[in-house]
Amino acid sequence: MSLLSHCGFQDGGIHDITKDEVTTGTTIIAAIYDGGVIIGADSRTTTGAYIANRVTDKLTKVCDNIYCCRSGSAADTQAITDIVAYYMDLTSIQMGEPPLVRAAANVFKNLIYENRHQLTAGVIVAGWDSRLGGQVYSINVSGTIVQQNISIGGSGSSYLYGFMDSQYKDGMTQQECENLVLNAISLAIKRDGSSGGVVRMGVINHTGQIQRKLTLGDQLPKFYDNIYEEKPVVVSGGDATMV
């Protein structure tokens, strides 16, 4: 094998992007509102610079009242979610009630931490249960778990920290929170080359079921393109006029 082939290049010296790992280079968000949680994600899946799937569903069901948003290796996150879903189904049967969101998040954390050297998986676990209400837990690729009122992840999240800090507030209504999540993902899609496609959102509350919502790419808000023309301020002083 030549050195070029070993580095992933074909004999002609052109990198074969279809051989790269399938990843959900992505933007994922979960936020608590007054009564439940909102989850949202874009739909682009990439293999390097190649878009392998433009309509991926990254809002993955763990059980009826708990969902997770996936980022990292698509295969790793899908496998982990399947394992956690199995444990939550078993727990639900044994306890005779829906599982706790915290329990699902801790199973995710244990699996990611114990296999952190083999996996590339970052997830946001969100849901509602009768004990603690709406909850959001962020688990990064090293297995660290943090409970937050709002969590963002994926490659597009680096464009959103200032925006979310300035716009999110405690006690938001469902509609306010939905608008915030939709605007944030739309902003990330505009800036991040690994985020794109449609925006999928879900509302989880006391009903114990998710309410899904879909916004197509040509229907995304474009508030960030607004350019306001300010009138010049004229200040006169002596013989000079400053604009």
Side-chain angles (χ1 to χ4, degrees):
M1 178 182 294
S2 66
L3 178 60
L4 287 176
S5 298
H6 180 74
C7 294
F9 289 87
Q10 296 177 330
D11 293 337
I14 301 175
H15 179 57
D16 185 4
I17 58 178
T18 63
K19 301 299 184 182
D20 291 333
E21 182 181 19
V22 178
T23 62
T24 55
T26 184
T27 301
I28 53 176
I29 300 176
I32 295 176
Y33 73 91
D34 186 18
V37 296
I38 306 289
I39 56 177
D42 72 311
S43 63
R44 177 172 292 180
T45 295
T46 58
T47 58
Y50 174 72
I51 300 174
N53 190 340
R54 59 190 178 89
V55 289
T56 304
D57 187 359
K58 302 174 186 177
L59 309 181
T60 307
K61 178 180 178 180
V62 178
C63 56
D64 289 340
N65 64 314
I66 305 172
Y67 273 69
C68 73
C69 308
R70 302 179 293 110
S71 66
S73 167
D76 293 349
T77 54
Q78 287 171 356
I80 291 174
T81 304
D82 288 343
I83 296 171
V84 177
Y86 167 78
Y87 278 111
M88 291 303 101
D89 285 342
L90 191 60
T91 300
S92 179
I93 294 171
Q94 292 174 336
M95 302 298 293
E97 61 181 6
L100 300 178
V101 183
R102 177 178 294 178
N106 275 290
V107 176
F108 269 107
K109 181 260 295 182
N110 290 335
L111 288 171
I112 293 175
Y113 177 77
E114 291 170 1
N115 301 279
R116 62 191 180 278
H117 299 301
Q118 290 79 36
L119 301 177
T120 304
V123 297
I124 298 174
V125 181
W128 189 96
D129 61 55
S130 58
R131 295 190 187 180
L132 299 175
Q135 300 150 73
V136 171
Y137 298 90
S138 176
I139 301 108
N140 65 19
V141 293
S142 64
T144 301
I145 184 172
V146 180
Q147 183 176 5
Q148 301 172 299
N149 287 340
I150 185 167
S151 180
I152 58 179
S155 57
S157 64
S158 58
Y159 301 93
L160 299 179
Y161 284 98
F163 178 76
M164 300 306 286
D165 286 344
S166 66
Q167 297 298 314
Y168 180 78
K169 59 182 182 293
D170 292 335
M172 296 181 76
T173 66
Q174 178 179 329
Q175 189 60 52
E176 288 175 336
C177 200
E178 285 182 18
N179 292 339
L180 173 62
V181 171
L182 179 59
N183 287 339
I185 298 175
S186 300
L187 178 61
I189 287 175
K190 175 71 173 180
R191 300 297 183 185
D192 178 33
S194 295
S195 300
V198 304
V199 173
R200 302 181 191 275
M201 295 195 302
V203 182
I204 309 174
N205 51 32
H206 66 278
T207 62
Q209 299 288 333
I210 189 171
Q211 305 169 20
R212 282 184 170 269
K213 301 188 177 183
L214 174 68
T215 305
L216 301 180
D218 59 352
Q219 299 172 350
L220 297 179
K222 294 182 172 56
F223 64 95
Y224 43 78
D225 282 338
N226 293 336
I227 300 176
Y228 298 96
E229 296 183 0
E230 297 183 359
K231 295 181 179 180
V233 178
V234 179
V235 180
S236 298
D239 296 332
T241 299
M242 183 170 59
V243 180

